[in-house]
Amino acid sequence: MTEQQDCVFCAIVAGEAEASVVHADDRVVAFMDLGAVTPGHVLVVPRLHAVGLEDLDEDTSTHVWRTGHRLGRALRRSGLRCEGVNVFLADGEAAFQEVFHFHLHVFPRFRGDTFRINADWATRARHLLDAEARLVRRGLAAL
C-alpha cells in the first residue's frame, strides 16, 4: 500500500507533519504520541500505509514489533519513570483504533498512572476455550 491522502501518520512519515521522532529506518518511524497515556508514550508506524493487521505484510509487522520491543527496553533505560511497559495494538474501531494507519503503542507504566482497561476478567469454562481454540485453528488454516 502507498501513502494515503489525509492520513496524519503518512504525513509524519513523509516529513510533512511535525513529530518528535525517536527512531526511523527504511521500514518504520517511531515518534512520541501527541495524546500520550504516560510520558514516554511512543508510536511505531510502518512507512507504508496499512489500515490494520489484514493490510500489513508479516515481514513489516515483524519489524514493527521488533522495533517496539527495542523501544520498550529503551524506555526502561531512558530515565523516564518506568516501572513496567505496555505494548498495545488497537486493530479496528471496536478495538479503539482511532487513526486508521497501523501503529503499535509502546508506553511506560508506573504505580499510580491512570491507564486502565476495564473488562470482565472472569475465568472461562474449558469447553468454551476448546471450542474457541478450534475456531482460531480454522482461522490459521485459512491464512
Side-chain angles (χ1 to χ4, degrees), residues 30-97:
F31 52 89
M32 305 310 296
D33 191 330
L34 191 59
V37 169
T38 59
H41 186 155
V42 179
L43 300 177
V44 184
V45 177
R47 288 188 176 274
L48 296 175
H49 184 82
V51 172
L53 285 168
E54 284 294 314
D55 307 306
L56 190 64
D57 66 276
E58 287 187 13
D59 287 339
T60 303
S61 179
T62 299
H63 191 72
V64 169
W65 286 93
R66 181 181 300 115
T67 302
H69 178 181
R70 289 182 49 86
L71 288 168
R73 293 179 64 216
L75 285 169
R76 289 187 174 272
R77 293 162 175 78
S78 69
L80 290 164
R81 188 169 180 195
C82 183
E83 299 166 11
V85 174
N86 270 128
V87 179
F88 182 78
L89 172 68
D91 180 42
E93 192 172 344
F96 308 113
Q97 185 176 6

Side-chain angles (χ1 to χ4, degrees), residues 99-140:
V99 177
F100 292 92
H101 181 128
F102 183 92
H103 56 288
L104 187 64
H105 296 258
V106 184
F107 53 95
R109 300 299 307 275
F110 50 86
R111 192 174 323 284
D113 70 35
T114 59
F115 182 75
R116 299 288 177 271
I117 296 177
N118 294 321
D120 179 6
W121 299 99
T123 301
R124 308 236 330 126
R126 178 61 50 202
H127 74 280
L128 295 174
L129 296 172
D130 289 343
E132 293 160 6
R134 279 190 297 278
L135 292 172
V136 173
R137 286 193 300 272
R138 182 186 307 166
L140 282 169

